[in-house]
Amino acid sequence: PVPGRCAYFVARKKRFCKMIPAPGRRFCGEHGQQEEESDRKRIPCPLDPKHTVYEDQLQKHLKKCNSREKPKPVYFVQDINAGLKDVAEIPEKQVPISSLSKEELENLIIKLKKASNGLELRLEEQILSHQALQEALNDPKNGESAFKHLKQQASILGNMEKLHLLGPGRCFVEFGAGRGKLSHWVDVALQNVDNVQFLLVERATTRFKVDGKHKRRNSIFERLQVDIQHLCLNKVPILEKKKLPVVGIGKHLCGAATDLALRCLVESYTTCSDGENEEPAPKRSRNDKTEVASNDSADNESNKDDCKPVAGIVIALCCHHKCDWTHYVGREFFKSVGLGPVEFHYFQRMSSWATCGMRETTTKASTSEESEDQTNDTEEHEQIFSKTESGSDTLQGILTFEERKEIGCLCKLLIDHGRIEYLQQRGYKAALQYYTESAVSLENVLLTAVPSPSLIPEPT
């Protein structure tokens, strides 16, 4: 055993325990029973059987065990952004693509192309930059991987600036924040701007955060450790108090997380419905009620259009193969083109053909970018798929690599178009664009949305 460490040999791990025992003891508390003969019995913790506890101290331990369920924050509302509630619509487990017959695969591709007919297949390029990152971009100390991330962040900020989203009196909510680098650069870009809030949403605990770099007094950073599925922005104290318009941002927001974030912003967050500053409506006689009913509804619609609590959305998309029909916001669009959960399942799997499977070396290089940042938020998310996943063996001779890539891109576009239609139906001007070169990131599509101009006619 290592001097100063527990002398208990862990047979399962084929090494000595690494815990530090109390002064004068050979064994740690976990393995102390090996040293001293005692009637005290250690049992597995019921909250986490990976560690044990003295049976006579169980109740005391349960109150302080790190695995105990912690109290939910005030902004936690179970499944508020989950989407589909009807389990009857959730498809049963589908067979993998590699098990499909040639005819079944060809039928899927026919459906895909029919549904995509009329969509703009080539997106506009909006590869921009921002002054806030120029010094970092020109720093020779940054390697190629860090440079690629900086280019993406610069383009995201450039697109935000073009949409007039970088301004005072706003709350920037970064979904899937990880280390919080995107928020950091937004903060740098807003050096001389007052009344700015940042909410960094990340369900996992994150190491190597850049939060400590935020020294400005006029910007406030707060982390929300919660799954986006359960996040009610309305109940976040700082938003409840200040009622700031929100800008939702994200860099490579993985799969279903994008849909959860869109629903969180567009459906579950409102600042206009509480009527805090509204004057009470004058009382009307019974005869007046029928006459003004239609006018009231029209006024309510106008108020909804006028008062958008979400100033904008800028999200770099990725990992369409991790989308989920249950959470997907574009289900109505899929149904409108004759598709359902079964087709969605296969299209989401086929979307991986656009970026993965046949180019392991390139993909691996992309995935390992900025390795010191890859704690628990893999920024690129360009996964390396096994041959079974990509179906390369089965599809050999049926589809060429270029055909697979084209079909994968079409699947991603169709899924993203459903998101665009969802936003448009809720009063937003939404668009997809390439925000960086594919050599920088294979996941190079940015979704942007701002409230549509008011449809209320101008007074004559």
Side-chain angles (χ1 to χ4, degrees), residues 388-441:
T388 305
E389 182 67 37
S390 64
S392 57
D393 285 339
T394 308
L395 301 174
Q396 204 69 34
I398 300 175
L399 297 169
T400 66
F401 167 71
E402 287 302 323
E403 286 172 334
R404 285 194 292 271
K405 182 181 176 183
E406 181 186 344
I407 289 166
C409 290
L410 211 53
C411 290
K412 291 164 81 75
L413 179 66
L414 194 68
I415 292 170
D416 289 340
H417 187 77
R419 291 164 168 167
I420 293 297
E421 286 218 353
Y422 166 82
L423 290 167
Q424 288 173 343
Q425 288 169 3
R426 281 154 182 79
Y428 289 85
K429 183 181 178 183
L432 299 167
Q433 50 263 313
Y434 295 119
Y435 78 102
T436 192
E437 300 92 345
S438 58
V440 172
S441 174

Side-chain angles (χ1 to χ4, degrees), residues 259 263 324-331 334 344 414-415 418:
D259 299 297
R263 197 175 279 109
D324 189 313
W325 178 256
T326 307
H327 304 313
Y328 181 51
V329 296
R331 290 193 304 267
F334 257 63
F344 180 84
L414 194 68
I415 292 170

Side-chain angles (χ1 to χ4, degrees), residues 261-280:
L262 292 179
R263 197 175 279 109
C264 176
L265 291 164
V266 174
E267 291 186 37
S268 68
Y269 178 59
T270 57
T271 56
C272 306
S273 58
D274 56 5
E276 192 176 281
N277 299 318
E278 293 175 8
E279 295 180 10

Side-chain angles (χ1 to χ4, degrees), residues 341-353:
V342 174
E343 290 82 8
F344 180 84
H345 167 81
Y346 288 118
F347 292 167
Q348 68 164 108
R349 306 313 302 171
M350 290 156 67
S351 70
S352 65
W353 295 351

Side-chain angles (χ1 to χ4, degrees), residues 79-94:
D79 293 329
I80 187 171
N81 305 313
L84 189 61
K85 301 292 192 298
D86 183 7
V87 292
E89 251 196 84
I90 301 173
E92 295 179 8
K93 190 174 181 180
Q94 305 294 327

Side-chain angles (χ1 to χ4, degrees), residues 219-380:
S219 65
I220 299 172
F221 278 76
E222 182 180 346
R223 278 192 173 262
L224 308 180
Q225 190 176 338
V226 62
D227 194 309
I228 305 170
Q229 182 169 332
H230 313 301
L231 171 61
C232 180
L233 286 176
N234 252 342
K235 296 190 176 184
V236 176
I238 202 163
L239 286 177
E240 198 172 21
K241 180 182 177 183
K242 292 202 172 184
K243 306 294 183 190
L244 291 175
V246 159
V247 178
I249 60 175
K251 178 174 177 283
H252 291 161
L253 193 55
C254 195
T258 293
D259 299 297
L260 296 172
L262 292 179
R263 197 175 279 109
C264 176
L265 291 164
V266 174
E267 291 186 37
S268 68
Y269 178 59
T270 57
T271 56
C272 306
S273 58
D274 56 5
E276 192 176 281
N277 299 318
E278 293 175 8
E279 295 180 10
K283 291 183 179 180
R284 296 189 174 99
S285 67
R286 185 174 299 175
N287 294 334
D288 290 338
K289 287 182 181 177
T290 309
E291 284 181 30
V292 297
S294 59
N295 291 335
D296 282 348
S297 61
D299 288 343
N300 289 338
E301 288 301 317
S302 297
N303 289 336
K304 284 180 184 177
D305 285 337
D306 260 350
C307 195
K308 288 290 184 189
V310 178
I313 300 169
V314 180
I315 294 175
L317 306 170
C318 88
C319 294
H320 294 72
H321 62 277
K322 289 189 176 180
C323 289
D324 189 313
W325 178 256
T326 307
H327 304 313
Y328 181 51
V329 296
R331 290 193 304 267
E332 291 306 314
F333 164 69
F334 257 63
K335 291 174 184 176
S336 71
V337 291
L339 303 174
V342 174
E343 290 82 8
F344 180 84
H345 167 81
Y346 288 118
F347 292 167
Q348 68 164 108
R349 306 313 302 171
M350 290 156 67
S351 70
S352 65
W353 295 351
T355 54
C356 308
M358 269 53 74
R359 290 179 292 173
E360 292 195 7
T361 306
T362 306
T363 308
K364 192 173 289 185
S366 298
T367 312
S368 63
E369 290 177 10
E370 210 173 15
S371 57
E372 70 273 15
D373 290 352
Q374 310 300 313
T375 51
N376 54 21
D377 61 323
T378 43
E379 294 211 55
E380 281 305 318

